[in-house]
């Protein structure tokens, strides 16, 4: 069991005092990765209460531990008209277009822009703007689809547009969501006081028919909680929502201060005990409705609450997963039936789906001041048409960075992980703190993920920044000062083998398969000698011989791209061998452009043009002495590019422009967009 050396700091603005706790604290137990399938509502309530009790007890234990080794350090602190899709014309369409860049081919992921070649749908403020995009030189805005709440992303499946939005219902006289039933307003639950501006957040799933000149709203569902991600397998959509659950009343005046706050030990321990006892008493009074997220569907224009099915809930051992609930909501676009919802206690940290398996990663829970644990529970579910069924769970040592760290192939689950034996979170490694990076394989046996094999520790002292699985090979990038690229053979799951390694300055954050034997990557170039970040870096690697990976080409570009952390912004058109990424740079002045690059295995990278939408933001700039003042409440950065046939489409909040690839500098069409109007959330989330 690891001992965690943690620094928890509390800043008191009025006194400008930073109290930092140097705490040597031992987690109560190692991660036990398993899920209990709850059979009825009594068993579900018992499991939820036990989880809450265990967390309160552990919070109290860790608070007392913080007092024993606390020290005070002083420092300074800072105090339109609802138009539809306009269906594709009968005329011949484009030969190809770039769809959303997804991890698994054939498993769609949500994005704020979608196209079928004939139309482009864009989330813009509170609307989805619809463009006729073909023929390219006739591109124009055909209308807007109003969406309740704050739309974030969507799917386009034939003539069905599925939009995900966040909707808040407050207790401020019903100005938000006034048409909803009274119980959607902030309730007075037993587990804590609410502020006057508290609100409840729901993820809304709206399904529109966009086959006609005007859109038609076909289906509406509300699931309490924050939208985390979704996947589409043909007509079946699974939406993952992070829903709230019961929590101790952290921010009321009775929560003991970390480290004791200058109190004598006996008085502080007594206060901790009083807080613990009050929270435990409150837990015994909770009902099932205090824990479970609400779910509604609209039937004949009326909100109808779905009664929870307790047998669709799964609970890990007490005090193992973080606060919250993971909801997996299934919707079949063909039947538009309610589908099944499945719930797992705990908040998801990483989500992955292949054609057959859904993986949810939950980090080990630690007390509030300690952050998150250094181990991950991985829960596997089978996917069969609209059915989602639990397969088993397993403990992954360390931190799973993102969805690309996970993979499933022929029933074998693979995970890349960074384990920090000092307990720090990824990105906060101390200069001498040990870490180990591995790729581990698992298979499901009798309701458990059983480890089959693992690599030796890779690049000790570094962290994994990117992973890509291609068939029986895994490519892993770690970084601290140089960028080792590892090639790993997974053809024998019981004996993962490191075939080769290449060390170069900087690091990659996303790896894209350029061919069967080449990788196209994006990341940062970091000077090996000085440690200075020199800019965005594009690279091509030859991995035809995995035992000797080779860097063929590299290009450093001044600035930063959203594609470095969002793979959907990395848009590569293999037909035209072109890459489009948004790039923001700050040299003498701020410039945001869609940068285009020809990509060649033989010749490397060639600049193919840059598209700047600065003229579309002229109303946002007010000249002042020595410069200008930006007055708009939305950014001027380029948001995305996409390719349709031999044209590139550039998108920003200012509008959409279309350019022929043989003359990018001269736009064929510039279609401005009205300023986006964003959803106005109430002042403070419920439970703060």
């Amino acid at each position: 069991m690891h001992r965690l050396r943690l620094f928890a700091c509390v800043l008191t603005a009025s006194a400008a005092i930073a109290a930092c706790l140097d705490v040597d604290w031992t987690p109560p137990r190692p991660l036990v990765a398993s899920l209990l399938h709850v059979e009825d509502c009594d068993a579900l309530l018992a499991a939820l209460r036990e989880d809450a009790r265990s967390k309160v007890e552990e919070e109290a234990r860790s608070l007392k531990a913080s007092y024993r080794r606390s020290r005070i350090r002083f420092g300074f602190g800072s105090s339109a008209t609802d138009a539809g899709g306009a269906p594709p014309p009968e005329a011949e369409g484009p030969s190809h277009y770039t769809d959303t860049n997804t991890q698994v081919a054939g498993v769609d992921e949500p994005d704020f822009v979608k196209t079928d070649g004939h139309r482009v749908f864009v989330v813009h403020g509170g609307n989805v703007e619809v463009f006729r995009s073909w023929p390219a030189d006739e591109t124009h805005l055909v209308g807007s689809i109003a969406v309740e709440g704050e739309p974030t992303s969507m799917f386009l499946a034939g003539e069905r547009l599925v939009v995900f939005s966040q909707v808040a219902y407050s207790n401020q006289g019903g100005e938000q969501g006034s048409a909803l039933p009274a119980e959607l307003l902030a309730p007075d639950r037993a587990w804590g006081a609410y502020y006057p501006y508290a609100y409840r957040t729901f993820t809304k799933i709206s399904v529109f028919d966009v086959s006609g000149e005007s859109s038609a709203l076909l289906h509406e569902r509300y699931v309490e909680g924050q939208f985390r991600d979704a996947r589409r397998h043909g007509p079946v959509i699974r939406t993952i929502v992070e829903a709230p659950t019961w929590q101790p009343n952290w921010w009321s005046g009775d929560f003991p201060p970390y480290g004791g706050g200058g109190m004598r030990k006996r008085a502080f321990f007594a206060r901790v005990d009083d807080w613990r006892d009050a929270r435990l008493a409150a837990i015994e009074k909770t009902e099932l409705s205090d824990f479970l997220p609400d779910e509604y569907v609209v039937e004949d224009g009326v909100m109808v609450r779905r009664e929870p099915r307790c047998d669709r809930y799964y609970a890990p051992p007490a005090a193992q997963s973080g606060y919250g609930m993971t909801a997996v909501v299934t919707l079949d676009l063909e039947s538009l039936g309610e589908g099944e919802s499945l719930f797992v206690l705990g908040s998801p940290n990483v989500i992955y789906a292949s054609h057959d398996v859904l993986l949810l990663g939950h980090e080990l829970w630690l007390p509030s001041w300690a952050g998150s644990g250094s181990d991950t529970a991985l829960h596997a579910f089978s996917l069969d048409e609209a059915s989602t069924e639990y397969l088993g769970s397993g403990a992954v040592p360390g931190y799973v960075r993102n969805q690309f760290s996970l993979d499933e192939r022929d029933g074998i689950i693979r995970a890349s992980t960074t384990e920090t034996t000092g307990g720090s979170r990824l990105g906060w490694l101390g200069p001498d703190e040990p870490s180990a990076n591995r790729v581990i394989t698992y298979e499901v046996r009798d309701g458990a993920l059983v480890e089959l094999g693992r690599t030796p520790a890779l690049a000790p002292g570094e962290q994994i920044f990117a992973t890509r699985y291609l068939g029986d090979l895994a490519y892993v990038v770690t970084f601290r000062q140089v960028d080792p690229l590892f090639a790993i053979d997974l053809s024998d799951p019981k004996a993962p083998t490191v075939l080769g390694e290449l060390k170069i300055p900087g690091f990659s954050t996303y790896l894209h398969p350029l061919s069967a034997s080449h990788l196209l990557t994006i990341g940062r170039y970091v000077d090996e000698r000085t440690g200075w970040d020199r800019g965005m870096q594009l690279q091509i690697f030859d991995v035809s011989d995995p035992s000797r990976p080779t860097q063929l080409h590299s290009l450093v570009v001044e600035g930063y791209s959203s594609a470095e952390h969002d793979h959907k912004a990395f848009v590569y058109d293999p037909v035209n061998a072109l890459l489009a990424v948004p790039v923001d740079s700050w040299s003498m002045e701020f410039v945001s452009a869609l940068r285009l690059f020809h990509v060649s295995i033989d010749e490397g990278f060639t600049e193919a043009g840059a598209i700047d939408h600065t003229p579309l933001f002229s109303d946002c700039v007010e000249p002042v002495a020595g410069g200008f003042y930006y007055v708009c409440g939305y950014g001027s950065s380029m948001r995305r590019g996409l390719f349709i046939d031999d044209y590139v489409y550039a998108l920003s909040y200012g509008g959409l422009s279309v350019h022929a690839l043989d003359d990018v500098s001269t736009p064929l069409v510039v279609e401005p967009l009205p300023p986006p109007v964003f959803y106005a959330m109430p002042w403070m989330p419920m439970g703060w």
Side-chain angles (χ1 to χ4, degrees):
M1 182 181 298
H2 303 318
R3 298 178 67 84
L4 308 186
R5 192 163 183 82
L6 301 150
F7 293 87
C9 297
V10 180
L11 182 66
T12 305
S14 59
I17 297 176
C20 293
L21 313 178
D22 184 1
V23 183
D24 196 10
W25 178 78
T26 303
R29 61 183 69 84
L31 175 64
V32 179
S34 63
L35 291 179
L36 169 68
H37 183 200
V38 179
E39 295 182 355
D40 55 44
C41 292
D42 289 340
L44 176 58
L45 179 58
L48 292 168
R49 284 178 173 175
E50 177 59 25
D51 181 72
R53 280 192 296 263
S54 298
K55 287 174 178 173
V56 168
E57 292 280 10
E58 189 51 41
E59 289 282 0
R61 187 175 79 90
S62 67
L63 282 167
K64 291 180 179 180
S66 77
Y67 184 89
R68 296 188 186 105
R69 296 180 179 271
S70 66
R71 70 177 187 267
I72 302 297
R73 295 199 298 228
F74 295 86
F76 293 101
S78 62
S79 48
T81 301
D82 180 13
E90 297 297 329
E92 182 179 352
S95 61
H96 77 281
Y97 58 90
T98 52
D99 209 341
T100 300
N101 183 24
T102 62
Q103 179 181 7
V104 178
V107 180
D108 198 8
E109 300 180 27
D111 199 5
F112 69 79
V113 57
K114 290 287 185 178
T115 184
D116 59 5
H118 296 275
R119 301 167 293 181
V120 174
F121 297 80
V122 180
V123 172
H124 183 75
N127 296 332
V128 174
E129 305 292 347
V130 186
F131 294 88
R132 166 78 65 208
S133 57
W134 194 259
D137 58 358
E138 297 178 13
T139 296
H140 62 284
L141 183 68
V142 296
S144 298
I145 301 174
V147 180
E148 182 185 13
E150 180 180 347
T152 58
S153 57
M154 56 193 167
F155 287 117
L156 178 62
E159 298 305 324
R160 296 286 188 267
L161 184 72
V162 183
V163 184
F164 304 102
S165 61
Q166 297 293 152
V167 184
Y169 300 109
S170 74
N171 55 2
Q172 296 299 292
E175 70 270 18
Q176 299 265 11
S178 59
L180 295 174
E183 61 263 27
L184 271 183
L185 301 181
D188 182 17
R189 288 177 173 169
W191 49 270
Y194 291 95
Y195 289 82
Y197 296 97
Y199 65 86
R200 300 175 71 191
T201 299
F202 285 76
T203 294
K204 183 178 182 184
I205 306 171
S206 303
V207 181
F208 297 90
D209 181 348
V210 292
S211 61
E213 292 294 334
S214 296
S215 65
L217 182 58
L218 301 178
H219 181 82
E220 299 171 86
R221 178 182 291 190
Y222 301 79
V223 181
E224 188 171 10
Q226 295 283 338
F227 174 80
R228 288 297 305 272
D229 211 338
R231 294 293 186 272
R232 182 174 69 86
H233 297 79
V236 177
I237 290 174
R238 291 175 178 86
T239 306
I240 292 86
V241 176
E242 182 179 349
T245 55
W246 185 94
Q247 295 187 32
N249 193 359
W250 300 121
W251 302 113
S252 65
D254 64 348
F255 187 74
Y258 303 122
M263 300 172 64
R264 292 183 179 275
K265 181 177 180 180
R266 180 176 297 178
F268 176 64
F269 277 29
R271 182 167 174 181
V272 172
D273 290 340
D274 289 343
W275 174 85
R276 178 199 61 202
D277 294 344
R279 293 300 92 203
L280 292 177
I283 291 171
E284 298 309 310
K285 297 178 182 179
T286 55
E287 301 295 338
L288 200 56
S289 59
D290 294 318
F291 289 99
L292 303 187
D294 282 333
E295 190 174 352
Y296 293 82
V297 294
V298 176
E299 297 179 358
D300 298 324
V302 178
M303 294 286 296
V304 179
R305 184 175 182 269
R306 291 195 65 188
E307 293 299 323
R309 281 189 53 185
C310 295
D311 63 349
R312 297 299 293 170
Y313 282 78
Y314 294 82
Q320 289 279 302
S321 61
Y323 292 108
M325 189 87 69
T326 304
V328 181
V329 182
T330 304
L331 175 65
D332 189 332
L333 294 179
E334 292 181 345
S335 65
L336 290 180
E338 293 187 14
E340 285 289 350
S341 295
L342 177 149
F343 297 85
V344 179
L345 182 62
S347 298
N349 298 98
V350 62
I351 299 160
Y352 164 86
S354 66
H355 289 273
D356 303 312
V357 172
L358 170 69
L359 299 177
L360 300 176
H362 289 198
E363 290 179 2
L364 172 65
W365 176 84
L366 296 179
S368 53
W369 58 267
S372 302
S374 59
D375 293 326
T376 302
L378 200 60
H379 307 302
F381 300 83
S382 66
L383 307 178
D384 183 10
E385 296 183 345
S387 173
T388 307
E389 298 297 334
Y390 177 59
L391 289 174
S393 302
V396 176
Y399 174 71
V400 178
R401 185 176 184 89
N402 56 30
Q403 66 186 67
F404 288 92
S405 300
L406 299 175
D407 185 70
E408 182 273 332
R409 177 179 169 85
D410 297 330
I412 304 300
I413 293 169
R414 297 95 74 92
S416 67
T417 173
T418 296
E419 185 177 9
T420 57
T421 55
S424 293
R425 301 291 292 110
L426 188 72
W428 294 98
L429 283 179
D432 301 315
E433 186 171 339
S435 66
N437 306 288
R438 295 183 177 89
V439 175
I440 308 175
T441 59
Y442 301 85
E443 71 174 357
V444 178
R445 294 181 191 165
D446 301 324
L449 295 187
V450 178
E451 181 177 325
L452 298 177
R454 61 171 60 191
T455 63
L458 309 174
E462 301 192 357
Q463 306 169 41
I464 290 176
F465 271 66
T467 306
R468 196 69 191 246
Y469 299 91
L470 299 176
D472 288 329
L473 292 171
Y475 299 96
V476 177
V477 170
T478 64
F479 176 73
R480 177 167 287 196
Q481 288 184 315
V482 294
D483 173 2
L485 170 67
F486 294 92
I488 300 168
D489 181 7
L490 300 174
S491 58
D492 181 358
K494 296 180 180 180
T497 303
V498 178
L499 298 178
E501 175 185 353
L502 173 67
K503 292 185 178 182
I504 51 178
F507 58 91
S508 300
T509 55
Y510 172 68
L511 314 177
H512 190 84
L514 183 60
S515 73
S517 56
H518 293 84
L519 295 175
L520 170 63
T521 76
I522 189 171
R524 307 296 298 173
Y525 178 78
V526 178
D527 188 290
E528 186 176 359
R529 183 178 60 85
T530 65
W532 287 4
D533 186 320
R534 298 297 188 182
M536 182 189 84
Q537 181 174 222
L538 301 174
Q539 299 177 88
I540 298 175
F541 293 96
D542 183 349
V543 290
S544 56
D545 180 359
S547 66
R548 299 181 60 185
T550 305
Q551 183 197 58
L552 293 182
H553 307 284
S554 174
L555 176 67
V556 178
V557 179
E558 180 183 355
Y560 165 81
S561 174
S562 57
E564 294 172 34
H565 69 268
D566 180 4
H567 63 280
K568 298 169 191 174
F570 186 99
V571 180
Y572 178 69
D573 178 6
V575 175
N576 291 303
L578 279 172
L579 173 68
V581 291
V583 178
D584 292 346
S585 61
W586 304 262
S587 51
M588 299 300 294
E589 60 181 4
F590 174 75
V591 176
S592 181
L594 184 70
R595 303 285 294 272
L596 304 180
F597 303 92
H598 280 293
V599 180
S600 169
I601 293 173
D602 296 327
E603 300 177 5
F605 300 99
T606 306
E607 293 266 8
I611 301 169
D612 183 358
H613 276 191
T614 298
L616 296 177
F617 295 91
S618 58
D619 292 341
C620 294
V621 177
E622 290 186 0
V624 295
F628 66 90
Y629 183 67
Y630 190 83
V631 298
C632 290
Y634 50 90
S636 60
S637 292
M638 190 66 68
R639 299 179 70 193
R640 190 65 58 83
L642 56 90
F643 296 96
I644 300 178
D645 218 344
D646 294 328
Y647 303 89
V648 60
Y649 294 63
L651 176 68
S652 70
Y653 280 122
L656 179 73
S657 62
V658 184
H659 309 253
L661 295 180
D662 57 4
D663 185 11
V664 171
S665 61
T666 304
L668 296 176
V669 174
V670 177
E671 187 75 354
L673 282 171
V677 178
F678 295 97
Y679 185 63
M681 287 284 190
W683 176 64
M684 182 175 288
M686 175 173 289
W688 278 33

